[in-house]
Amino acid sequence: MLTPPREETAGVRAAPGRVRVPSRGRVVAARFFGTRQGRLGFGLLASMFLLAFAGPLLGRWSATELDFSAFMRPPSADHWFGTLQTGSDVFAVTLRGARRSLLVGLLVAVLSTGVAAVAGSFAGYYLGWTDRTLMWVADLLLVLPAFLILAIMSPLFTGGRWLLFVIMMALFLWMVTSKIVRGMTRAIKEREYVTAARFMGVPSSAIIFRHVIPNLASLLIVDATLNVSAAILTETSLSYFGFGIQPPDVSLGGLIADGARTALYAPWTFWFAAGALIVVILAVNLIGDSLRDAFDPGARRGP
Amino acid sequence: MSAPVLAVTGLEVRFGDVRVVRGVSYSVEAGEVLGVVGESGAGKSVTSLAVMGLLPRHARVAGSARLHGHELVGASDRELAAFRGKSISMVFQDPLSAMTPVYRVGDQIAEAVRVHQRVGRGRAAERAVELLDLVGIPHPRRRARAFPHEFSGGMRQRAMIAMAIANDPDVIICDEPTTALDVTIQAQVLEVLKKAQCETGAAIVLITHDLGVVAGFADRVLVMYAGLAVESGAVRDVFHRPRMPYTIGLLRSVPRVDTGKDVPLVPIEGGPPSPAALPPGCPFEPRCPVAIPECAAAEPALLPVAPGHHAACLRSREPGGPALAYDARESGGPALAYDAREPGGPALAYGGRETGGAVPASSPRPPRERRAVVLEVDDLVKHHPLTRGAVFRRRVGTVHAVDGIGFDIREGETLGLVGESGCGKTTALMEILELARPQRGRVAVFGRDTATLSPRERMAVRRDLQVVFQDPLASLDPRMTVHDIVAEPLTAHGGRDTGPRVRRLLGLVGLEESDAARHPRDFSGGQRQRVAIARALALEPRLLVLDEPVSALDTSVQAGVINLLEDLGRRLGLSYLFVAHDLAVVRHIADRVAVMYLGRIAEIGGTGLVYEAPAHPYTQALLSAVPIPDPGKERERRRILLEGDLPSPANPPSGCRFRTRCPKFRILADAARARCVQEEPEVRPLEGDHAVACHHAEEPGVV
């Protein structure tokens, strides 16, 4: 004797026949692009990237060229965003700065959140020696004066070695998040679906990447979003003192620091760089919000 | 007939546009008990909260509820406060959250007294102690000074009842008062409720989903479904001559402790409709096995079918009523319909089993001794250290969670492990599933000792040993699709191209292929448990461990899952270790049963033997405490009431652990008692398969 095949017809049933089951990535992508917010954020960030990398082809001036006939001129047909005191074209310089800042901000955020997620979840899942070692490293990094170390190391970042700078920044950003992740992992470890997976014979590392980290997605995405801004701003303040991205590279932070001095009587030197920074951070936040909703099957679906 | 104390007519409750309660009427007289039954979401609790005026502000209540002629619906909070706690009081389901944790129990009861009576502080405190004594709390004077968390669940519920009767109310509304409690404690609390009613002469509205409790305790019963009263009448009429197909279905789907496997459970198909999307006609029509086309046209009214017996069904006035039609339809049984639709049945779909193949359902099973042992547990021990101190941890005691249990499961057999909460059954299960070396004793799965397994061998054993947990919502990762969930064990064991296999598995447990793309939260409770079962079956295991697999489900859905498990077990030759606290469910599914008490096995044996002739006083008490959904039988039964609560497993009594509560111990001679105190009874065989851990099992008992 067997039971009824159905109990309830909740929700909309798909047409009978072969049903394709989309992978988790597809589902998230579909839900992400299903919201207006997600599309807007992605569009903004994509156009910023496009502008930063393809923009110099449009402009008449390159970032290193100096126009000796125009110092501190407001925007004109010749110089779209005006010129600096040195005669550099603001449009070209801003795009160049945006290029570096975008890469630095996003890479630092992804790297530091990734390290935080992996270190925190491994510490929280395995506990014991893994936990003690990882948390000892985190504590050590927390007490080191990050700003000072970055400042001392700044001579190393010259000559296009900005990737080293990215790694060093990420190294000083992950600790607090990893402690939160560790705590949440300990809670998730007690959940029955983790126990069930364990009794099914799923290896621990697979459990961490399949069950623990996706269930922390909300926290991690918010963290990554905040880290983008934090990275760009840290870089800005380092640049302000001359320790960040080293010449001949420029970053938005450096430009804003320079422009801030002349902002009152020559606003174009400041506002275009600041505007670019605002657009980038806004886009990242929009993307973060939509991604968080897309990862959570319980969130309200977009129109 | 005296005037009713509480009369509710045409009560409606809306939350926004959703009508949760749609015109419910009932009345209770002094000294009468009205049972309100229905599944979760039927609107039982909302109805009573509306009467008390305790619904949130955005709920809109219409209709009338009169207490001694005073209208309660629409009355101001100030007016209601004069009634609440004085003439009408309430006992909630969860007594821990119903009491303020920071005040002493006695003070809370005294406060309830002082709100409505002009008495002094000292007099109120005296009254609180009297009330605690009345509800059977030992040492009431000392206990009144305790905080709620120092009380056990049963004692808290007694204290809640004491608070409810503090002002001698006319109506007591009890909202699932015993649902969170174990059966022996439930029996105690119901006894206290009866006593409280005798003392106060109050009318009681008892809201519950447990038909057995209603059968034993209520005078009249009101069956609710989808916010409507669908049947009402005297308990005997409704239970013996139900006229509404929903009531009939409910009565047939509930497992009973007095009938075994020979009486099959008949589940109700589908699940209750969402209150936001009700069908146009009778709300039960989509699930009703005897529906006729007219049923879908309009909602039937609650009409009298016999003196004092009302039912809302178009067919209730037919000769013989819907029950007859029900029987005619059931003669083939749903099994027939299922088999016909799917030639070969799920067993074929399961297929592809290389190792030995499934046992055909028709072939007679060899006797128990000749079948292979799939799980053997011998003297298993799990002690947790009890530590104190934050800086210097020191061991102050030991929790004897599992203290030397042993049993075995043979191929194709179901062992039910039953006991009250805290008896160590879940701990024992986890110890087995860890597949590690136990603290003491031996666990052998498929003949392999877990203490000597290499990681590779352990992985191989995991393939054949799978688990289903109690709460399917917690055991399924909310972020994964059903496909990914069911495919997980397959990929973990190196399977590729899981699509077709997952589809077959979903079919096997009665879900549809299209369900694979959905998330667990899109399903109802029963469906989720089916997903969990599909996942457990993915690797074609030989032994399935089930931890309370149906206790989180509604009655009508529960029957479907039990039948599915029974059927799968038979078709696929599975063995089950079925852990549950519900003795009726275990009787239905288990071949053998082991009763646990405080980390030890009290009695073990064939289901028939243990249920028909229990030898251990604890088993006897446990069985007598399970309510039977039959008013005739339920009221004639003699109930063995156990005293007190489960002792702490950190400090179990010497000798026999049950002696502190044992009804037999109390009537024994002193010499015989000494043996119980000094010597811990071993599990010893009685006859055949039946074994018991009691020194005095053969002597005539108290029952």
Side-chain angles (χ1 to χ4, degrees):
Chain A
M1 111 112 119
L2 211 93
T3 40
R6 302 239 31 94
E7 267 159 19
E8 189 187 332
T9 2
V12 188
R13 192 151 298 289
R18 263 307 121 88
V19 183
R20 311 208 80 180
V21 179
S23 70
R24 185 187 260 176
R26 285 252 187 87
V27 173
V28 171
R31 297 194 53 187
F32 175 78
F33 287 109
T35 61
R36 202 164 48 195
Q37 191 177 300
R39 284 195 300 266
L40 182 69
F42 184 80
L44 270 179
L45 195 68
S47 42
M48 279 308 289
F49 261 96
L50 203 68
L51 204 63
F53 286 90
L57 302 176
L58 295 174
R60 208 173 310 165
W61 302 83
S62 86
T64 44
E65 265 179 292
L66 302 177
D67 184 355
F68 295 108
S69 63
F71 299 116
M72 285 296 254
R73 286 293 159 81
S76 63
D78 205 22
H79 296 283
W80 294 340
F81 285 4
T83 56
L84 294 176
Q85 202 142 26
T86 52
S88 312
D89 182 54
V90 175
F91 178 70
V93 173
T94 306
L95 292 192
R96 180 159 184 189
R99 195 158 56 193
R100 195 52 76 228
S101 285
L102 271 173
L103 282 178
V104 168
L106 290 180
L107 278 178
V108 167
V110 169
L111 213 62
S112 72
T113 304
V115 171
V118 172
S121 56
F122 273 75
Y125 190 86
Y126 287 105
L127 297 174
W129 277 110
T130 321
D131 180 36
R132 258 171 272 169
T133 315
L134 283 169
M135 286 303 119
W136 184 78
V137 172
D139 288 335
L140 182 74
L141 286 173
L142 270 176
V143 295
L144 288 181
F147 199 86
L148 202 64
I149 292 178
L150 284 174
I152 294 168
M153 286 179 75
S154 67
L156 294 175
F157 306 145
T158 50
R161 270 179 295 193
W162 58 274
L163 261 179
L164 183 66
F165 177 65
V166 164
I167 291 169
M168 289 310 293
M169 286 245 296
L171 197 65
F172 285 110
L173 262 179
W174 61 275
M175 294 83 70
V176 176
T177 314
S178 82
K179 299 221 159 203
I180 302 172
V181 168
R182 173 180 172 271
M184 291 174 79
T185 303
R186 290 182 67 174
I188 288 180
K189 196 188 167 187
E190 302 302 316
R191 297 273 178 87
E192 271 182 359
Y193 53 80
V194 173
T195 320
R198 215 154 50 82
F199 288 151
M200 255 180 259
V202 182
S204 299
S205 55
I207 291 180
I208 290 175
F209 285 108
R210 197 179 302 152
H211 295 289
V212 176
I213 293 182
N215 277 292
L216 295 171
S218 307
L219 168 83
L220 295 176
I221 289 167
V222 171
D223 179 65
T225 320
L226 292 175
N227 277 351
V228 174
S229 335
I232 293 179
L233 294 176
T234 309
E235 191 274 322
T236 307
S237 41
L238 278 169
S239 298
Y240 189 84
F241 292 105
F243 297 133
I245 297 286
Q246 297 299 315
D249 263 351
V250 285
S251 69
L252 283 183
L255 287 176
I256 292 169
D258 287 345
R261 277 173 238 146
T262 53
L264 282 180
Y265 57 93
W268 60 90
T269 55
F270 174 74
W271 283 112
F272 286 109
L277 183 64
I278 290 170
V279 170
V280 169
I281 290 176
L282 180 73
V284 166
N285 276 295
L286 285 174
I287 291 175
D289 267 8
S290 326
L291 256 188
R292 195 192 55 211
D293 290 350
F295 263 106
D296 185 358
R300 197 142 282 296
R301 307 223 164 152
Chain B
M1 189 167 165
S2 59
V5 182
L6 177 69
V8 176
T9 35
L11 191 75
E12 284 200 20
V13 181
R14 280 166 182 273
F15 289 99
D17 293 331
V18 181
R19 293 165 73 202
V20 183
V21 178
R22 305 180 294 146
V24 169
S25 307
Y26 65 80
S27 62
V28 270
E29 293 164 25
E32 190 184 39
V33 180
L34 174 74
V36 180
V37 292
E39 292 175 282
S40 51
K44 324 182 284 285
S45 294
V46 175
T47 309
S48 61
L49 288 175
V51 170
M52 293 285 284
L54 290 174
L55 285 174
R57 266 173 200 288
H58 64 273
R60 258 164 297 154
V61 183
S64 141
R66 287 173 176 275
L67 179 70
H68 287 307
H70 293 283
E71 182 61 55
L72 298 177
V73 172
S76 72
D77 224 32
R78 182 185 284 266
E79 285 174 77
L80 283 175
F83 292 114
R84 279 189 212 138
K86 186 165 193 296
S87 7
I88 184 165
S89 59
M90 195 152 179
V91 178
F92 294 93
Q93 172 174 357
D94 181 5
L96 183 57
S97 54
M99 289 185 131
T100 316
V102 293
Y103 288 108
R104 295 178 196 280
V105 173
D107 293 348
Q108 295 191 48
I109 300 173
E111 189 198 358
V113 174
R114 276 166 59 83
V115 164
H116 292 289
Q117 294 174 25
R118 296 175 59 88
V119 293
R121 200 174 289 273
R123 177 74 199 99
E126 276 302 306
R127 176 88 179 119
V129 173
E130 281 167 37
L131 285 164
L132 284 176
D133 191 31
L134 181 74
V135 294
I137 286 184
H139 316 295
R141 198 160 296 278
R142 206 175 68 217
R143 281 303 186 167
R145 300 196 43 77
F147 287 96
H149 70 266
E150 295 173 273
F151 274 32
S152 67
M155 272 161 64
R156 266 182 233 134
Q157 200 57 292
R158 284 160 189 259
M160 277 304 294
I161 293 172
M163 211 184 291
I165 60 172
N167 292 301
D168 203 0
D170 301 317
V171 181
I172 306 172
I173 297 179
C174 304
D175 190 357
E176 305 265 11
T178 57
T179 307
L181 306 174
D182 280 315
V183 274
T184 57
I185 308 294
Q186 165 174 293
Q188 289 174 1
V189 168
L190 287 176
E191 210 56 39
V192 170
L193 258 182
K194 267 182 204 159
K195 197 170 160 199
Q197 193 197 20
C198 287
E199 289 286 318
T200 59
I204 292 184
V205 178
L206 177 74
I207 299 162
T208 177
H209 69 280
D210 190 330
L211 291 166
V213 170
V214 172
F217 194 61
D219 303 310
R220 285 192 304 124
V221 58
L222 179 80
V223 183
M224 283 189 70
Y225 185 75
L228 286 177
V230 292
E231 184 157 5
S232 74
V235 164
R236 276 169 208 274
D237 287 341
V238 173
F239 275 77
H240 294 311
R241 287 175 295 281
R243 304 307 284 266
M244 165 73 196
Y246 176 62
T247 320
I248 301 170
L250 215 51
L251 284 169
R252 292 187 188 197
S253 65
V254 51
R256 294 168 55 147
V257 77
D258 59 336
T259 56
K261 279 186 170 174
D262 37 314
V263 183
L265 300 180
V266 186
I268 309 178
E269 296 206 17
S274 149
L278 289 171
C282 170
F284 189 59
E285 186 263 338
R287 301 173 76 191
C288 184
V290 298
I292 46 175
E294 289 86 64
C295 290
E299 210 161 74
L302 189 67
L303 295 171
V305 287
H309 188 179
H310 296 64
C313 177
L314 286 177
R315 302 186 71 177
S316 60
R317 282 148 180 272
E318 288 176 14
L324 207 67
Y326 218 101
D327 288 336
R329 195 190 142 277
E330 287 301 331
S331 54
L336 212 65
Y338 200 91
D339 286 344
R341 203 181 61 203
E342 207 169 296
L348 204 70
Y350 194 70
R353 185 195 194 91
E354 279 85 22
T355 53
V359 181
S362 53
S363 75
R365 274 206 309 213
R368 183 162 192 274
E369 305 79 57
R370 301 238 306 274
R371 276 179 279 146
V373 178
V374 290
L375 175 67
E376 195 181 349
V377 176
D378 190 28
D379 194 28
L380 178 68
V381 165
K382 174 74 183 178
H383 290 177
H384 302 287
L386 209 59
T387 54
R388 193 171 284 167
V391 183
F392 299 103
R393 281 270 177 100
R394 58 188 197 283
R395 190 170 171 142
V396 293
T398 307
V399 177
H400 301 253
V402 176
D403 211 6
I405 63 166
F407 54 81
D408 63 341
I409 300 178
R410 309 257 169 170
E411 206 167 71
E413 183 178 75
T414 302
L415 176 75
L417 192 60
V418 295
E420 295 176 283
S421 47
C423 73
K425 51 190 193 307
T426 300
T427 312
L429 188 117
M430 290 299 161
E431 278 301 288
I432 294 166
L433 286 169
E434 285 292 344
L435 297 182
R437 181 189 291 276
Q439 284 177 348
R440 200 180 80 201
R442 175 172 178 273
V443 176
V445 190
F446 312 117
R448 284 187 243 179
D449 194 331
T450 55
T452 57
L453 283 179
S454 69
R456 185 185 293 269
E457 285 171 324
R458 189 165 295 135
M459 194 72 175
V461 171
R462 291 231 183 275
R463 233 193 136 91
D464 288 333
L465 169 72
Q466 294 288 321
V467 57
V468 176
F469 287 104
Q470 171 175 13
D471 181 1
L473 193 56
S475 65
L476 304 176
D477 190 336
R479 304 219 169 205
M480 287 165 73
T481 59
V482 165
H483 174 274
D484 290 350
I485 289 169
V486 178
E488 185 170 21
L490 293 170
T491 45
H493 288 265
R496 256 168 286 134
D497 189 26
T498 51
R501 182 115 187 84
V502 170
R503 280 198 289 276
R504 274 213 305 274
L505 284 162
L506 290 180
L508 185 69
V509 297
L511 293 172
E512 280 172 28
E513 288 184 2
S514 59
D515 292 332
R518 297 159 74 202
H519 287 276
R521 71 164 64 223
D522 301 334
F523 292 88
S524 68
Q527 286 175 317
R528 277 185 214 129
Q529 198 58 293
R530 282 165 195 262
V531 173
I533 293 171
R535 174 175 66 179
L537 291 177
L539 289 168
E540 297 162 10
R542 287 154 66 199
L543 173 62
L544 212 55
V545 175
L546 306 147
D547 186 9
E548 304 262 12
V550 295
S551 61
L553 308 176
D554 265 325
T555 319
S556 68
V557 176
Q558 199 179 53
V561 174
I562 295 173
N563 284 350
L564 173 71
L565 286 172
E566 258 179 352
D567 182 79
L568 290 171
R570 201 166 43 235
R571 281 171 195 254
L572 312 173
L574 299 174
S575 311
Y576 291 133
L577 173 58
F578 193 102
V579 174
H581 70 275
D582 188 332
L583 285 118
V585 169
V586 170
R587 170 150 211 190
H588 241 275
I589 196 160
D591 302 305
R592 298 179 75 234
V593 61
V595 182
M596 276 186 79
Y597 184 79
L598 220 59
R600 301 273 295 181
I601 283 184
E603 186 163 2
I604 184 167
T607 308
L609 274 174
V610 173
Y611 278 75
E612 295 299 333
H616 198 283
Y618 177 62
T619 319
Q620 292 165 357
L622 208 55
L623 284 172
S624 85
V626 181
I628 299 174
D630 182 326
K633 278 193 184 173
E634 177 66 12
R635 278 153 212 243
E636 281 161 17
R637 284 206 305 164
R638 275 203 48 200
R639 186 149 282 164
I640 308 168
L641 274 184
L642 289 184
E643 283 186 1
D645 293 305
L646 201 67
S648 158
N651 187 16
S654 70
C656 176
R657 284 158 192 239
F658 186 55
R659 70 178 162 84
T660 50
R661 300 169 77 195
C662 183
K664 196 177 240 175
F665 181 73
R666 258 177 275 140
I667 57 163
L668 285 174
D670 281 345
R673 275 191 191 188
R675 194 168 172 217
C676 292
V677 178
Q678 284 153 13
E679 193 184 327
E680 184 151 14
E682 292 300 316
V683 181
R684 62 196 168 89
L686 283 183
E687 43 173 330
D689 192 22
H690 196 176
V692 65
C694 177
H695 295 305
H696 309 287
E698 285 89 353
E699 287 153 40
V702 282
V703 261

PDB file of all heavy atoms in Angstrom, chain B residues 556-572:
ATOM      1  N   SER B 556      -2.593  14.270   9.481  1.00  0.00           N
ATOM      2  CA  SER B 556      -3.033  13.692   8.208  1.00  0.00           C
ATOM      3  C   SER B 556      -1.846  13.479   7.276  1.00  0.00           C
ATOM      4  O   SER B 556      -1.848  12.573   6.458  1.00  0.00           O
ATOM      5  CB  SER B 556      -4.065  14.606   7.552  1.00  0.00           C
ATOM      6  OG  SER B 556      -3.480  15.806   7.145  1.00  0.00           O
ATOM      7  N   VAL B 557      -0.822  14.304   7.423  1.00  0.00           N
ATOM      8  CA  VAL B 557       0.356  14.191   6.569  1.00  0.00           C
ATOM      9  C   VAL B 557       1.282  13.107   7.111  1.00  0.00           C
ATOM     10  O   VAL B 557       1.935  12.378   6.372  1.00  0.00           O
ATOM     11  CB  VAL B 557       1.065  15.557   6.520  1.00  0.00           C
ATOM     12  CG1 VAL B 557       2.336  15.462   5.719  1.00  0.00           C
ATOM     13  CG2 VAL B 557       0.150  16.606   5.934  1.00  0.00           C
ATOM     14  N   GLN B 558       1.310  12.996   8.433  1.00  0.00           N
ATOM     15  CA  GLN B 558       2.110  11.991   9.126  1.00  0.00           C
ATOM     16  C   GLN B 558       1.814  10.596   8.581  1.00  0.00           C
ATOM     17  O   GLN B 558       2.725   9.832   8.279  1.00  0.00           O
ATOM     18  CB  GLN B 558       1.705  12.062  10.601  1.00  0.00           C
ATOM     19  CG  GLN B 558       2.684  11.460  11.550  1.00  0.00           C
ATOM     20  CD  GLN B 558       2.176  11.610  12.973  1.00  0.00           C
ATOM     21  OE1 GLN B 558       1.059  11.233  13.276  1.00  0.00           O
ATOM     22  NE2 GLN B 558       2.986  12.170  13.838  1.00  0.00           N
ATOM     23  N   ALA B 559       0.536  10.306   8.425  1.00  0.00           N
ATOM     24  CA  ALA B 559       0.146   8.970   7.968  1.00  0.00           C
ATOM     25  C   ALA B 559       0.762   8.677   6.612  1.00  0.00           C
ATOM     26  O   ALA B 559       1.224   7.559   6.362  1.00  0.00           O
ATOM     27  CB  ALA B 559      -1.376   8.876   7.887  1.00  0.00           C
ATOM     28  N   GLY B 560       0.794   9.675   5.737  1.00  0.00           N
ATOM     29  CA  GLY B 560       1.365   9.478   4.412  1.00  0.00           C
ATOM     30  C   GLY B 560       2.840   9.115   4.498  1.00  0.00           C
ATOM     31  O   GLY B 560       3.307   8.206   3.794  1.00  0.00           O
ATOM     32  N   VAL B 561       3.578   9.798   5.374  1.00  0.00           N
ATOM     33  CA  VAL B 561       5.015   9.540   5.479  1.00  0.00           C
ATOM     34  C   VAL B 561       5.261   8.174   6.124  1.00  0.00           C
ATOM     35  O   VAL B 561       6.143   7.419   5.697  1.00  0.00           O
ATOM     36  CB  VAL B 561       5.705  10.676   6.265  1.00  0.00           C
ATOM     37  CG1 VAL B 561       7.160  10.350   6.496  1.00  0.00           C
ATOM     38  CG2 VAL B 561       5.582  11.983   5.509  1.00  0.00           C
ATOM     39  N   ILE B 562       4.456   7.818   7.125  1.00  0.00           N
ATOM     40  CA  ILE B 562       4.614   6.499   7.750  1.00  0.00           C
ATOM     41  C   ILE B 562       4.376   5.402   6.720  1.00  0.00           C
ATOM     42  O   ILE B 562       5.148   4.451   6.602  1.00  0.00           O
ATOM     43  CB  ILE B 562       3.626   6.337   8.933  1.00  0.00           C
ATOM     44  CG1 ILE B 562       3.971   7.318  10.041  1.00  0.00           C
ATOM     45  CG2 ILE B 562       3.659   4.913   9.469  1.00  0.00           C
ATOM     46  CD1 ILE B 562       2.957   7.326  11.149  1.00  0.00           C
ATOM     47  N   ASN B 563       3.300   5.560   5.947  1.00  0.00           N
ATOM     48  CA  ASN B 563       3.012   4.545   4.939  1.00  0.00           C
ATOM     49  C   ASN B 563       4.128   4.448   3.911  1.00  0.00           C
ATOM     50  O   ASN B 563       4.489   3.357   3.490  1.00  0.00           O
ATOM     51  CB  ASN B 563       1.693   4.872   4.235  1.00  0.00           C
ATOM     52  CG  ASN B 563       0.512   4.526   5.107  1.00  0.00           C
ATOM     53  OD1 ASN B 563       0.664   3.888   6.137  1.00  0.00           O
ATOM     54  ND2 ASN B 563      -0.668   4.958   4.698  1.00  0.00           N
ATOM     55  N   LEU B 564       4.668   5.607   3.526  1.00  0.00           N
ATOM     56  CA  LEU B 564       5.762   5.618   2.553  1.00  0.00           C
ATOM     57  C   LEU B 564       6.953   4.845   3.104  1.00  0.00           C
ATOM     58  O   LEU B 564       7.540   4.011   2.415  1.00  0.00           O
ATOM     59  CB  LEU B 564       6.161   7.063   2.241  1.00  0.00           C
ATOM     60  CG  LEU B 564       7.401   7.225   1.364  1.00  0.00           C
ATOM     61  CD1 LEU B 564       7.088   6.791  -0.052  1.00  0.00           C
ATOM     62  CD2 LEU B 564       7.903   8.645   1.381  1.00  0.00           C
ATOM     63  N   LEU B 565       7.294   5.104   4.372  1.00  0.00           N
ATOM     64  CA  LEU B 565       8.443   4.427   4.976  1.00  0.00           C
ATOM     65  C   LEU B 565       8.198   2.926   5.053  1.00  0.00           C
ATOM     66  O   LEU B 565       9.077   2.126   4.735  1.00  0.00           O
ATOM     67  CB  LEU B 565       8.694   4.986   6.375  1.00  0.00           C
ATOM     68  CG  LEU B 565       9.316   6.376   6.433  1.00  0.00           C
ATOM     69  CD1 LEU B 565       9.329   6.890   7.860  1.00  0.00           C
ATOM     70  CD2 LEU B 565      10.718   6.359   5.861  1.00  0.00           C
ATOM     71  N   GLU B 566       7.003   2.548   5.446  1.00  0.00           N
ATOM     72  CA  GLU B 566       6.669   1.136   5.546  1.00  0.00           C
ATOM     73  C   GLU B 566       6.803   0.457   4.197  1.00  0.00           C
ATOM     74  O   GLU B 566       7.391  -0.612   4.065  1.00  0.00           O
ATOM     75  CB  GLU B 566       5.225   0.980   6.041  1.00  0.00           C
ATOM     76  CG  GLU B 566       5.144   0.613   7.495  1.00  0.00           C
ATOM     77  CD  GLU B 566       3.701   0.498   7.962  1.00  0.00           C
ATOM     78  OE1 GLU B 566       2.766   0.845   7.204  1.00  0.00           O
ATOM     79  OE2 GLU B 566       3.520   0.068   9.103  1.00  0.00           O
ATOM     80  N   ASP B 567       6.252   1.138   3.203  1.00  0.00           N
ATOM     81  CA  ASP B 567       6.264   0.563   1.865  1.00  0.00           C
ATOM     82  C   ASP B 567       7.680   0.458   1.319  1.00  0.00           C
ATOM     83  O   ASP B 567       8.066  -0.577   0.767  1.00  0.00           O
ATOM     84  CB  ASP B 567       5.410   1.446   0.965  1.00  0.00           C
ATOM     85  CG  ASP B 567       5.346   0.887  -0.421  1.00  0.00           C
ATOM     86  OD1 ASP B 567       4.568  -0.056  -0.609  1.00  0.00           O
ATOM     87  OD2 ASP B 567       6.088   1.367  -1.285  1.00  0.00           O
ATOM     88  N   LEU B 568       8.455   1.516   1.482  1.00  0.00           N
ATOM     89  CA  LEU B 568       9.833   1.490   0.984  1.00  0.00           C
ATOM     90  C   LEU B 568      10.627   0.401   1.683  1.00  0.00           C
ATOM     91  O   LEU B 568      11.409  -0.313   1.057  1.00  0.00           O
ATOM     92  CB  LEU B 568      10.503   2.841   1.214  1.00  0.00           C
ATOM     93  CG  LEU B 568      10.004   4.000   0.361  1.00  0.00           C
ATOM     94  CD1 LEU B 568      10.600   5.298   0.847  1.00  0.00           C
ATOM     95  CD2 LEU B 568      10.351   3.773  -1.091  1.00  0.00           C
ATOM     96  N   GLY B 569      10.417   0.279   2.987  1.00  0.00           N
ATOM     97  CA  GLY B 569      11.133  -0.733   3.739  1.00  0.00           C
ATOM     98  C   GLY B 569      10.871  -2.117   3.193  1.00  0.00           C
ATOM     99  O   GLY B 569      11.777  -2.931   3.041  1.00  0.00           O
ATOM    100  N   ARG B 570       9.610  -2.368   2.869  1.00  0.00           N
ATOM    101  CA  ARG B 570       9.250  -3.690   2.394  1.00  0.00           C
ATOM    102  C   ARG B 570       9.769  -3.921   0.986  1.00  0.00           C
ATOM    103  O   ARG B 570      10.358  -4.942   0.682  1.00  0.00           O
ATOM    104  CB  ARG B 570       7.728  -3.837   2.427  1.00  0.00           C
ATOM    105  CG  ARG B 570       7.280  -5.274   2.437  1.00  0.00           C
ATOM    106  CD  ARG B 570       5.835  -5.389   2.815  1.00  0.00           C
ATOM    107  NE  ARG B 570       5.033  -4.384   2.157  1.00  0.00           N
ATOM    108  CZ  ARG B 570       4.243  -3.537   2.794  1.00  0.00           C
ATOM    109  NH1 ARG B 570       4.152  -3.572   4.089  1.00  0.00           N
ATOM    110  NH2 ARG B 570       3.525  -2.649   2.130  1.00  0.00           N
ATOM    111  N   ARG B 571       9.584  -2.936   0.124  1.00  0.00           N
ATOM    112  CA  ARG B 571       9.976  -3.127  -1.272  1.00  0.00           C
ATOM    113  C   ARG B 571      11.480  -3.188  -1.456  1.00  0.00           C
ATOM    114  O   ARG B 571      11.968  -3.899  -2.315  1.00  0.00           O
ATOM    115  CB  ARG B 571       9.466  -1.969  -2.118  1.00  0.00           C
ATOM    116  CG  ARG B 571       8.009  -2.086  -2.459  1.00  0.00           C
ATOM    117  CD  ARG B 571       7.573  -0.789  -3.107  1.00  0.00           C
ATOM    118  NE  ARG B 571       6.141  -0.704  -3.130  1.00  0.00           N
ATOM    119  CZ  ARG B 571       5.419  -0.869  -4.223  1.00  0.00           C
ATOM    120  NH1 ARG B 571       6.015  -1.141  -5.346  1.00  0.00           N
ATOM    121  NH2 ARG B 571       4.122  -0.764  -4.186  1.00  0.00           N
ATOM    122  N   LEU B 572      12.191  -2.388  -0.707  1.00  0.00           N
ATOM    123  CA  LEU B 572      13.631  -2.281  -0.942  1.00  0.00           C
ATOM    124  C   LEU B 572      14.427  -3.088   0.065  1.00  0.00           C
ATOM    125  O   LEU B 572      15.649  -3.046   0.069  1.00  0.00           O
ATOM    126  CB  LEU B 572      14.063  -0.817  -0.884  1.00  0.00           C
ATOM    127  CG  LEU B 572      13.197   0.138  -1.708  1.00  0.00           C
ATOM    128  CD1 LEU B 572      13.604   1.567  -1.456  1.00  0.00           C
ATOM    129  CD2 LEU B 572      13.318  -0.176  -3.186  1.00  0.00           C
TER     130      LEU B 572
END
